[in-house]
Amino acid sequence: MATAGGSYESNVFVNCPFDSDYHPLLRPLLFTILLLGFTPKIASERSDSGEFRLAKISEFIRGSRYSIHDLSRIQARARGEFYRMNMPFELGLEYGCRLFGGQPFDEKRCLILEKRPYHYMKALSDLSGIDIENHNNEPISLVRQVRNWFVETVGVRGAPSATAIWYAFDNDFMADFYERRQAEGFAQDDLNMMPVPEYVDFIRDWLRMIRPGA
């Protein structure tokens, strides 16, 4: 099991939207990474108004052998809106680090996620020919894609099935999470808008509770 701080070999940089609409996908994504023994690194885990955001993201990319990039929210949703280019930009930083950074960065591995097959091509035709997985905005599909990538590409063995991970998250962890936190005085809004590091700590504590000594 990775430590709370993680290491280059266990860190997974997560490049995704941070809005509330994405929470139903982000939460099982973080749960899956932690359950499989890895440490998610995400820009929202650290908030310092004096820190340059790009420097923080670059630090996380250089400090993570693995990365997951969800491009499912790059499209503008209303007339007059711009495409959301932060995620493709951070994916470009990841590729640049891998291609030009030398060792050990030339052995970095990444998973790119999309909502529907080939949907990204309308904005990022340069990614033609790259293996990209889609989750159709369904949390259980995202869990399956992430779990299978860890098995196929990262080399994880003995991983629970995607269905087992989803049930552990949706039926067991989330029920316990809400029950325990509400008993501790957390209101619904507190839980819905909980900072990522706090949420990650609760996942870690729960995993230790159900797997003593892991």
Side-chain angles (χ1 to χ4, degrees), residues 158-173:
S161 70
T163 300
I165 295 173
W166 172 252
Y167 283 141
F169 169 77
D170 193 48
N171 292 355
D172 300 330
F173 169 72

Side-chain angles (χ1 to χ4, degrees), residues 6-195:
S7 67
Y8 178 75
E9 291 295 329
S10 66
N11 284 346
V12 181
F13 172 62
V14 178
N15 171 20
C16 68
F18 298 134
D19 56 68
S20 59
D21 288 344
Y22 191 75
H23 280 180
L25 295 173
L26 176 61
R27 290 190 164 189
L29 170 58
L30 295 174
F31 182 87
T32 302
I33 293 170
L34 287 158
L35 182 141
L36 294 176
F38 292 80
T39 301
K41 305 298 292 182
I42 184 167
S44 61
E45 75 176 51
R46 194 170 77 206
S47 180
D48 177 2
S49 298
E51 182 177 31
F52 185 39
R53 178 182 173 86
L54 186 55
K56 176 172 61 175
I57 291 169
S58 298
E59 173 194 328
F60 287 167
I61 289 174
R62 288 178 61 85
S64 306
R65 182 175 182 183
Y66 306 107
S67 61
I68 296 174
H69 307 261
D70 194 334
L71 305 184
S72 63
R73 297 296 197 278
I74 65 173
Q75 184 178 10
R77 292 179 293 181
R79 183 182 297 273
E81 284 187 357
F82 290 99
Y83 273 66
R84 300 171 67 177
M85 302 308 296
N86 282 345
M87 282 77 74
F89 179 72
E90 292 172 26
L91 173 60
L93 290 176
E94 170 70 28
Y95 266 101
C97 184
R98 179 173 173 174
L99 291 175
F100 307 119
Q103 294 184 339
F105 305 120
D106 55 352
E107 295 183 354
K108 286 166 69 69
R109 296 292 179 266
C110 72
L111 169 65
I112 304 175
L113 296 168
E114 175 55 294
K115 181 168 55 178
R116 297 189 298 273
Y118 310 113
H119 193 234
Y120 70 93
M121 289 285 291
K122 298 174 182 177
L124 289 169
S125 60
D126 282 351
L127 291 182
S128 177
I130 301 257
D131 288 333
I132 295 181
E133 306 297 341
N134 62 285
H135 54 60
N136 295 312
N137 279 338
E138 298 172 354
I140 189 172
S141 295
L142 179 144
V143 168
R144 179 167 289 107
Q145 298 293 6
V146 171
R147 180 266 181 199
N148 289 348
W149 176 76
F150 271 106
V151 171
E152 296 167 352
T153 303
V154 178
V156 170
R157 293 295 177 265
S161 70
T163 300
I165 295 173
W166 172 252
Y167 283 141
F169 169 77
D170 193 48
N171 292 355
D172 300 330
F173 169 72
M174 288 304 293
D176 190 62
F177 171 73
Y178 276 97
E179 181 179 341
R180 287 175 179 267
R181 302 294 81 81
Q182 288 172 343
E184 294 168 357
F186 286 80
Q188 188 71 32
D189 287 345
D190 298 327
L191 298 176
N192 291 340
M193 302 304 295
M194 178 174 286

